[in-house]
Amino acid sequence: MSIKVSKVFWFLICVFCFFSYISLGIYGLLIVGIIGVLLSSYKNVFKIKKKVLYEILSAIVVLTSIIFSVDTQETILFGIVILAFSFITNSIMDKNIDYKRTIVKFMYLLSSIHVIAVILELIVPDIIMKINAVILTRESYSVVFYLFNQGKYSGIAPQTGTVAYFILVYLIISLFIFWEQKNIVSFCLNVVGFIALISTCKRAPLLVYILILFCCFAYYLITKNKGTNKIIINVLIGIVLIVMLIYAITAFGYLFIEGDIEGISSGRWQIYEFMINAFFKSPIIGNGFGYVQFVQGIAGHNIFLQLLCEYGLLAVVFFVWFFKNLHSAYVNMKSSEGKEFIINSISLCFQMFFLLYGLFGNPLYDYFELGIYMIFCSLTCKGRGV
């Protein structure tokens, strides 16, 4: 099967990741896309890379938890999703840089639709609401309408958190378009995305994005001005560390302050405390997939605590998966240049966003968000001497 045809299947998978909420019918795109990618790359699909091994082990951890899971169907589905994306992303790790850039272009195009929708909602809300009435379920439309009346804009997505995730895809790619081109058009693309992100009123994604900007700017100064601007570099690094410290203290402030804290995670401290207590009750094998949702009626909004709560110490497999990918992207980024540097930087920054946002969101448990993350992880290219 030709490379052009396989790219079409990848486009279908990306469409699913960015628009899976429209209707159940769109799951057909994912199935067709996965089958197409597997068939077009059958020679490489089952040559499992070491990097993918931890993803497969994570899927096995999920599927074995079916023994004591409160939701057998969702447990199987979650495990299968991880396995499916493990195999299809495994197939593109050895693809050339132009192939990977094409997938990034797909992501940029689809995420830009969400950015445009939020901007249009600011300017001509009636048009966006009419579109939402057609593509969203009645329940989702009610949520969007309620958020709109509160001055929180979600465009054509069912939640502000969902669209903020998509906007971060757009912003991270736009950032490195500006890094590469350094012109007024690429700068304006970043400004438009930033306005859209602010319009969602989601604090955690905004804070994480600002941290990523500081890290990128500090790296730029270090690499482009070796031996100079040391004061500026130290100040920038200091600001990043201070903001991250405040971020962490705020996140886990419930350990030190009594009462219900309405902080950056919108009063979810009791859920965090519940997950910690549940982990200590069953620290080895956890409580099974879906336990937090079943007992609390809401997702954990912290993927690390939820993993520990539901899988116990077996969750270490997930943590190794996350941070091995992050380390790999960083090493490859440092030793690459040109197109490879841009792709590795995009992969690294998105992984940073995913993990930091995971402190307050559910990117691991929303399948489309997980799929986007796994695709970005697979895009890293080996640098010189790696």
Side-chain angles (χ1 to χ4, degrees), residues 92-105:
I92 62 170
M93 287 185 181
D94 292 332
K95 298 290 187 184
N96 61 44
I97 187 64
D98 291 326
Y99 191 98
K100 294 181 178 182
R101 282 173 69 92
T102 298
I103 294 176
V104 171
K105 289 175 182 177

Side-chain angles (χ1 to χ4, degrees), residues 16-59:
F16 165 81
C17 290
F18 285 91
F19 296 98
S20 61
Y21 58 85
I22 290 178
S23 70
L24 292 176
I26 207 166
Y27 275 83
L29 289 180
L30 178 65
I31 295 170
V32 171
I34 288 175
I35 293 174
V37 167
L38 293 179
L39 289 176
S40 64
S41 307
Y42 67 92
K43 292 182 180 179
N44 296 321
V45 166
F46 299 105
K47 293 180 181 178
I48 305 300
K49 314 292 188 302
K50 187 177 179 182
K51 222 164 106 172
V52 180
L53 182 62
Y54 296 103
E55 298 174 7
I56 295 174
L57 288 175
S58 297

Side-chain angles (χ1 to χ4, degrees), residues 55 70 82 116 139 148 162 173 191 199 207 247 250 259 295 328 363:
E55 298 174 7
V70 295
I82 296 177
I116 292 168
E139 182 181 356
F148 173 75
T162 300
I173 298 174
V191 171
S199 300
L207 179 55
Y247 194 64
T250 305
V295 177
S328 174

Side-chain angles (χ1 to χ4, degrees), residues 49-62 78-87 89-90 93 165 303-304 307 311 314-329 347 351 354-355 363-367 369-378 380:
K49 314 292 188 302
K50 187 177 179 182
K51 222 164 106 172
V52 180
L53 182 62
Y54 296 103
E55 298 174 7
I56 295 174
L57 288 175
S58 297
I60 293 171
V61 168
V62 172
F78 186 46
I80 290 175
V81 167
I82 296 177
L83 276 177
F85 273 99
S86 296
F87 282 111
T89 54
N90 179 68
M93 287 185 181
Y165 190 90
I303 61 174
F304 304 101
L307 284 170
Y311 305 111
L314 294 176
V316 169
V317 175
F318 282 88
F319 302 152
V320 173
W321 164 21
F322 298 153
F323 292 103
K324 283 283 286 184
N325 276 330
L326 189 70
H327 178 261
S328 174
S347 175
Q351 289 182 56
F354 180 89
L355 297 177
L364 180 67
Y365 288 86
D366 289 328
Y367 302 144
E369 295 183 4
L370 173 61
I372 292 172
Y373 164 72
M374 293 178 72
I375 292 171
F376 273 111
C377 288
S378 69
T380 53

